[in-house]
Amino acid sequence: AAAVAVAAEQRCAQRAAQGKSTETVAVVPSDPAAVIQPRKDGAMRPGYKAATLMHEAGVILGQHVHPSSETAAVAPLLEQHDALVATPPPTLLLDGGFHNGSLLGELAEQGIDVLCPSGKAMGDDDWEKRGRKGLFAKGAFAYDEARDAYGCPGGQWLTYTDRGRDGQGREYRRYRTAACAACSLRARCTGSAQGRRVKRYAGEEYKEAMALVLQQPRARAVYGRRMVIAERVHAELRERLGDRKAHV
């Protein structure tokens, strides 16, 4: 009971700090550390985010489990790799769960080559994350650094309007345009009465650079090896050993 109370208090404090309601906070009495989240099959169940760092030969060099964050695993995995090999990995092939601008920037500063699409990268048309409900994804808006503005699919510019923080407490700059009302592409872009808005976070430039890199056939061919290297072990854990509580 004490562990449940502590977990509930911590999660309430975290959500309150992010400006979120604390009424929906849930803690599983039998496993207070677990977080209720979608499994691979979409079912909502208490679970964890498990990550492995694997050599191209299929040898697991590191593992880490976190209740809810995949990106939190990267530093511990690199530390384990360094302890075994005494050098950082030359290249990391990461899935979309690690597509975070700040993380990509940190890895670039460490001199680690990274390939990390925002989408599932299962076919030619899904390397970029899809927009919600079939609307244009953020990747359809091209940022122009000189203008400090986003060019939209309708040929208009979304300009800087204000700043804010998201539910995780991360700061962003917000861009809008007054041209949405008369745009012929509005139905494919936004249902908001205020028009389409785009948020720009710290590290977005690394995401944009990654998208350009992954347009190259050679980069896609290299990334294609990830499925064989990593997913085979994850499938063994999930399908043969029945480990569905860890979202690998």
Side-chain angles (χ1 to χ4, degrees):
V4 173
V6 170
E9 183 177 353
Q10 291 175 341
R11 292 177 192 177
C12 284
Q14 182 180 29
R15 289 183 65 85
Q18 297 171 353
K20 294 181 177 180
S21 170
T22 60
E23 295 182 359
T24 58
V25 170
V27 178
V28 181
S30 60
D31 193 354
V35 173
I36 297 176
Q37 53 194 303
R39 295 192 316 198
K40 291 291 185 180
D41 60 5
M44 298 296 292
R45 297 291 188 275
Y48 298 84
K49 296 289 188 183
T52 57
L53 180 61
M54 302 184 63
H55 186 270
E56 61 183 343
V59 178
I60 298 178
L61 300 179
Q63 57 79 30
H64 186 76
V65 176
H66 189 278
S68 60
S69 173
E70 289 181 287
T71 57
V74 175
L77 290 176
L78 292 178
E79 289 175 2
Q80 293 174 56
H81 184 280
D82 186 62
L84 289 172
V85 187
T87 183
T91 303
L92 287 177
L93 308 179
L94 305 176
D95 69 21
F98 297 89
H99 195 259
N100 175 282
S102 296
L103 174 61
L104 296 178
E106 291 171 6
L107 294 173
E109 291 178 0
Q110 295 178 48
I112 300 176
D113 187 25
V114 181
L115 292 177
C116 180
S118 61
K120 296 182 179 180
M122 300 294 290
D124 292 338
D125 62 346
D126 63 354
W127 286 77
E128 291 287 331
K129 185 177 181 180
R130 298 181 184 275
R132 295 178 62 253
K133 299 180 180 180
L135 300 178
F136 289 128
K138 184 177 179 178
F141 295 76
Y143 181 71
D144 187 303
E145 185 175 4
R147 285 176 175 262
D148 187 23
Y150 279 90
C152 77
Q156 303 295 326
W157 289 101
L158 281 70
T159 56
Y160 170 74
T161 56
D162 59 352
R163 295 175 179 268
R165 289 180 179 271
D166 66 10
Q168 299 177 359
R170 300 179 302 168
E171 293 186 357
Y172 60 78
R173 293 165 57 86
R174 186 158 37 206
Y175 296 75
R176 301 179 183 181
T177 178
C180 286
C183 181
S184 61
L185 299 178
R186 179 182 176 87
R188 297 176 57 192
C189 190
T190 180
S192 171
Q194 298 178 336
R196 182 63 183 256
R197 293 166 290 179
V198 173
K199 298 175 182 177
R200 186 169 185 82
Y201 292 86
E204 290 280 357
E205 65 271 22
Y206 292 103
K207 288 185 176 183
E208 293 158 354
M210 183 61 62
L212 291 176
V213 169
L214 286 171
Q215 289 178 9
Q216 306 304 314
R218 173 59 180 165
R220 293 193 176 195
V222 171
Y223 187 80
R225 298 170 58 194
R226 181 190 171 277
M227 181 68 72
V228 177
I229 295 171
E231 295 303 334
R232 179 174 56 190
V233 172
H234 293 171
E236 290 278 348
L237 292 171
R238 189 167 53 246
E239 302 300 332
R240 293 195 176 186
L241 300 182
D243 186 5
R244 298 184 178 276
K245 199 169 188 179
H247 301 191
V248 294

